[in-house]
């Protein structure tokens, strides 16, 4: 009788070798992230607490957070972000549903109207709004030609121009995340709720809105972060009349030669962005 040949036992790699191999794959990305993101932020934080004489100080933060003028600057940035985000959401939410319901060439045309503006820089789009809104611009020229007004209306360098321009520029960043969720929405959920006797308002509040919440959160986080830190848009559309944190940082570095104060303003702006991202992450978590 021939002895049966047993298969050779499979030798699993030691856990230490697995960890070492995993670290080898992750190390390059960690190093790049540290050099590109962590190191500049650490330098920014360090400059913000450095005294011109070489010591440590919080005077820059005291000046920024303890002066009524700079508190107003922070509020201007927050107000710009909040208004831009709110108006962009009110426009984008129904637009995302219309885009998801569109079919064939119409959907392609609508998507092109969203993606093509992203190919142009923010400076180009902001300059385009200055051409439209100035006293001899297209809007005033058309209104005068139609006999609606006799003299040009002041549009440029107003808060209305700033909000309208910011909403127009950052609108695609709100529409696309919501559209990505709405396009995958199963219509049978709404039909089932309606079959059970729910009114259209209840269907929207209890079914549609919660299902589209991830897209809303992503769009709100994107638009708020972009608008609250915008520099080109307020500079071109309203100028010195509406100082923001971004313009304050630029002045501190380029004109006043106060890198410590500019770094402190940058840290505050970064803290606002981190808070927004943290809140959006918390809201997007599914309840256990």
């Amino acid at each position: 009788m021939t002895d049966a040949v047993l298969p050779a036992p499979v030798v699993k790699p030691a856990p230490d070798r697995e960890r070492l191999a995993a670290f080898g794959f992750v190390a390059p990305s960690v190093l790049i992230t540290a050099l590109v993101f962590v190191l500049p932020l650490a330098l920014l934080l360090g400059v913000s607490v450095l005294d011109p004489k070489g010591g440590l100080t919080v005077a820059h933060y005291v000046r920024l957070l303890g002066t009524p003028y700079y508190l107003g600057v922070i509020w201007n940035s927050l107000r710009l972000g909040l208004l831009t985000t709110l108006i962009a959401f009110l426009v984008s939410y129904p637009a995302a549903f219309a885009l998801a319901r569109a079919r064939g060439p119409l959907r392609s045309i609508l998507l092109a109207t969203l993606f093509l503006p992203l190919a142009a820089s923010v400076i180009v789009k902001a300059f385009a709004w200055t051409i439209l809104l100035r006293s001899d611009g297209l809007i005033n020229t058309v209104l005068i030609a139609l006999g609606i007004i006799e003299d040009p209306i002041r549009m440029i360098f107003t808060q209305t121009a700033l909000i309208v321009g910011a909403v127009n520029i950052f609108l695609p960043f709100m529409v696309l995340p919501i559209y990505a969720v709405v396009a995958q929405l199963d219509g049978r959920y709404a039909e089932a709720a309606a079959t059970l006797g729910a009114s259209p308002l209840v269907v929207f509040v209890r079914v549609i809105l919660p299902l589209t919440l991830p897209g809303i959160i992503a769009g709100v986080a994107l638009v708020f972060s972009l608008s609250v830190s915008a520099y080109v848009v307020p500079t071109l559309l309203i100028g010195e009349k509406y100082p923001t944190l971004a313009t304050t940082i630029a002045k501190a570095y380029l004109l006043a030669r106060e890198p410590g104060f500019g770094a402190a303003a940058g840290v505050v702006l970064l803290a606002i962005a981190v808070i927004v991202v943290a809140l959006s992450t918390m809201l997007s978590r599914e309840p256990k």
Side-chain angles (χ1 to χ4, degrees), residues 45-190:
L45 182 61
V47 172
S48 69
V49 294
L50 280 181
D51 186 85
K53 298 180 181 179
L56 297 178
T57 181
V58 294
H60 303 304
Y61 291 98
V62 172
R63 176 185 171 191
L64 182 64
L65 302 175
T67 307
Y69 172 79
Y70 290 113
L71 289 176
V73 169
I74 296 174
W75 169 242
N76 285 345
S77 298
L78 293 174
R79 183 173 180 271
L80 174 60
L82 291 171
L83 288 178
T84 303
T85 303
L86 177 61
I87 298 173
F89 168 71
L90 294 176
V91 175
S92 299
Y93 198 76
F97 277 88
L99 184 58
R101 300 286 189 275
R103 295 292 181 268
L106 179 59
R107 175 182 284 191
S108 300
I109 294 172
L110 293 176
L111 285 173
T113 60
L114 282 175
F115 282 106
L116 287 178
L118 296 177
S121 69
V122 176
I123 298 177
V124 172
K125 289 182 282 190
F127 266 120
W129 275 106
T130 63
I131 296 173
L132 289 173
L133 298 175
R134 63 191 184 189
S135 298
D136 58 345
L138 180 61
I139 296 178
N140 273 314
T141 301
V142 171
L143 292 177
I144 293 174
L146 294 175
I148 299 176
I149 59 175
E150 296 182 357
D151 299 319
I153 300 175
R154 180 181 176 83
M155 298 181 184
I156 195 68
F157 299 124
T158 62
Q159 293 190 25
T160 302
L162 173 62
I163 299 300
V164 170
V167 170
N168 172 263
I169 291 171
F170 300 123
L171 190 66
F173 298 98
M174 180 72 76
V175 176
L176 292 175
I178 299 177
Y179 163 72
V181 175
V182 172
Q184 300 177 5
L185 195 63
D186 193 341
R188 292 176 294 180
Y189 290 116

Side-chain angles (χ1 to χ4, degrees), residues 26-47:
V26 174
S29 60
V30 172
L31 180 61
I32 293 173
T33 303
L35 292 176
V36 176
F37 294 103
V38 178
L39 181 60
L41 294 179
L43 292 175
L44 181 71
L45 182 61
V47 172

